[in-house]
Amino acid sequence: MGFFSKLEQRCKRANSLLCVGLDPHPTDLATPTVDGLRDFCLRLIEATTHVAAAYKPNSAFFEAFGPEGMAVLQEIIASIPPEIPVILDFKRGDIASTAQAYAKAAFQVYKAQAVTINPYLGYDAIEPFLVDPEKGVFLLCKTSNPGASDLQDLSVSDNQHNTAGKELLFLYERVALLAQTWNKNDNLGIVVGATQPEALERVR
């Protein structure tokens, strides 16, 4: 079963569209330690398993604690009920050989079912994540951070989808169009910040 079929199945069973972010900011922890990191996440998972359609741990907050924090990330992912998809939020993006290593880390070491990645190195940097239809990929398309417009709102031509006389596309729209052509295994989605309603409408 493909990733998005599994996700849809979970949404129906939980009657929920809630993706619970596991973003353990140091200031949110009872103690700024690895134990505090673990306890924060386990308590949040325990409180939300009945409504969670998916969990999305942000690897940066675990990696900041070094090897012990990365071990906790593995532990946290393993503690999530197997019927609930895990989207590893690590926004990687690099050349093909490096992407292969990142994909192995995400899917084989951390045991995530999906990842967030950066599309700006092109298809060869994304392909290693897409090989297995049971693993999902979410491309950053239009993000909600203040600096997003520096690149994502640039106007670009589109030789494949845009004919002469038509308006230029925003770069994030070009990413969305490329995602459609790259989605050969029906396991590719895109990220559009909920704080960007106009962009969300254009992408949809």
Side-chain angles (χ1 to χ4, degrees):
M1 181 184 295
F3 170 77
F4 284 106
S5 295
K6 291 179 182 177
L7 179 60
E8 183 178 3
Q9 187 177 78
R10 173 58 189 174
C11 289
K12 289 178 178 178
R13 287 181 177 176
N15 191 28
S16 172
L17 298 175
L18 178 65
C19 178
V20 179
L22 298 175
D23 301 274
H25 293 264
T27 54
D28 293 334
L29 307 182
T31 59
T33 63
V34 172
D35 289 336
L37 178 73
R38 179 187 297 105
D39 292 343
F40 175 88
C41 294
L42 290 176
R43 285 189 291 107
L44 185 54
I45 292 168
E46 182 180 5
T48 57
T49 49
H50 63 296
V51 293
Y55 285 98
K56 185 170 66 67
N58 189 322
S59 66
F61 294 105
F62 297 88
E63 292 168 0
F65 283 88
E68 290 183 336
M70 296 166 75
V72 169
L73 176 58
Q74 289 179 275
E75 181 183 339
I76 293 302
I77 291 175
S79 74
I80 294 171
E83 69 272 15
I84 305 178
V86 176
I87 304 165
L88 182 60
D89 188 8
F90 73 169
K91 302 181 179 70
R92 300 295 195 259
D94 211 325
I95 59 174
S97 59
T98 309
Q100 290 172 359
Y102 279 138
K104 181 178 180 179
F107 298 139
Q108 297 182 31
V109 178
Y110 289 122
K111 307 295 186 183
Q113 286 82 52
V115 294
T116 60
I117 61 175
N118 192 318
Y120 291 101
L121 270 75
Y123 180 68
D124 62 316
I126 295 167
E127 185 180 18
F129 296 93
L130 295 171
V131 172
D132 186 348
E134 294 188 1
K135 304 301 183 183
V137 173
F138 290 90
L139 291 184
L140 300 181
C141 181
K142 185 68 168 86
T143 58
S144 57
N145 59 300
S149 60
D150 292 346
L151 294 176
Q152 295 165 23
D153 288 355
L154 293 177
S155 296
V156 297
S157 61
D158 186 345
N159 295 330
Q160 293 181 353
H161 301 92
N162 199 33
T163 58
K166 288 189 176 181
E167 63 180 270
L168 297 174
L169 298 175
F170 289 119
L171 181 55
Y172 71 80
E173 291 178 291
R174 174 66 172 144
V175 170
L177 288 169
L178 284 170
Q180 291 182 336
T181 65
W182 294 341
N183 190 23
K184 299 172 184 176
N185 290 325
D186 194 28
N187 61 340
L188 179 59
I190 57 177
V191 177
V192 178
T195 58
Q196 306 285 335
E198 182 179 343
L200 184 59
E201 182 178 2
R202 293 177 70 99
V203 167
R204 287 183 65 86

